[in-house]
Amino acid sequence: YQLEQMRRDFVGNVSHEMRTPLTVISGYLETLVDNAEDLPPKWRRAINTMSAQSSRMEALITDLILLSKIETGEQTVHDSLTDVEELLEQICRDAQALSGDKQHQLSVQVSDRRLLRGDESQLRSAFSNLVFNAVKYTPPQGQITVSWFTDRDGAHLSVKDTGIGIDPIHIPRLTERFYRADPSRHKDTGGTGLGLAIVKHVLLNHDGTLDIRSSIGSGSEFICHFPRERLVERIPEKTGSDA
């Protein structure tokens, strides 16, 4: 336990220390990119490549810091109420923007409007990771369906896509840090390899679990399960006649 705690502290501290110098480097590279026409042609490609890689490093450090906070309990779970329907609509608007020219068909289906008790910031991180992954790994004009529903076992968030799919042999290890089912895809998608690890730890903090269903060529479905105890009825809004 002590070794694990030391590892988490080390990762968190190193990530924080790297953020400041990397921000400076990225800032100067951004200035160079903006003035690329003043640079010799042979330098332009190098500057653009360095800028892209520094952006990926910034994303990696941001995810490392977030994961470290979630793991160590530094980012405690606030016992607040989250409007899941509104949250999913916001995330899917961002996902549509991320899709851009690929024109993915995103749909949101919410069959239960009760609120979810938990930390909205953490839930946003987990849900957005799943939806954005679906966009990254689904071919242009593919379908992505985001569903929120409940049954006697609790509440469930399903993110289903018509993407390239995952060999079932990889599924047990997908939530490990930096584990990649297909490392060759990393350059194209620009992921950090920490998204599903963040999802797993957010769900642990909310008494939830993650279910992954996929096969090569048949798309994927990621389902977050939450216990019924975390569902809270909405308080009806008062009208003028009630006052």
Side-chain angles (χ1 to χ4, degrees), residues 33-193:
V33 170
D34 291 341
N35 297 275
E37 64 276 2
D38 299 329
L39 298 172
K42 66 179 181 179
W43 280 97
R44 294 173 190 169
R45 181 179 178 185
I47 293 296
N48 285 327
T49 301
M50 285 190 288
S51 179
Q53 294 301 319
S54 69
S55 295
R56 288 176 64 179
M57 285 186 67
E58 283 187 307
L60 173 60
I61 287 173
T62 298
D63 277 358
L64 277 171
I65 291 173
L66 174 60
L67 183 57
S68 176
K69 287 180 177 179
I70 293 173
E71 282 185 322
T72 59
E74 182 181 335
Q75 189 182 59
T76 56
V77 176
H78 299 290
D79 192 12
S80 58
L81 300 179
T82 298
D83 186 330
V84 177
E85 182 177 18
E86 181 180 339
L87 178 60
L88 292 179
E89 288 177 351
Q90 292 173 359
I91 291 172
C92 286
R93 282 197 295 270
D94 293 340
Q96 197 69 67
L98 177 64
S99 172
D101 295 337
K102 293 183 179 179
Q103 299 179 334
H104 292 102
Q105 301 175 41
L106 276 92
S107 63
V108 182
Q109 302 171 357
V110 176
S111 61
D112 191 310
R113 301 189 68 247
R114 280 178 288 181
L115 303 173
L116 182 66
R117 184 166 52 82
D119 187 301
E120 183 170 339
S121 176
Q122 288 194 22
L123 293 171
R124 182 186 299 274
S125 296
F127 294 175
S128 60
N129 264 304
L130 294 178
V131 177
F132 294 168
N133 275 353
V135 171
K136 292 175 183 177
Y137 295 123
T138 299
Q141 300 182 346
Q143 294 184 340
I144 299 168
T145 304
V146 181
S147 307
W148 175 255
F149 59 96
T150 58
D151 56 23
R152 63 181 182 180
D153 296 323
H156 316 278
L157 171 76
S158 165
V159 180
K160 190 173 184 178
D161 62 57
T162 57
I164 56 180
I166 305 164
D167 189 326
I169 195 173
H170 297 294
I171 290 178
R173 299 190 59 191
L174 281 182
T175 56
E176 294 179 13
R177 300 171 193 82
F178 304 115
Y179 184 83
R180 297 187 182 281
D182 182 2
S184 66
R185 296 186 306 188
H186 178 48
K187 183 177 179 181
D188 298 327
T189 60
T192 63

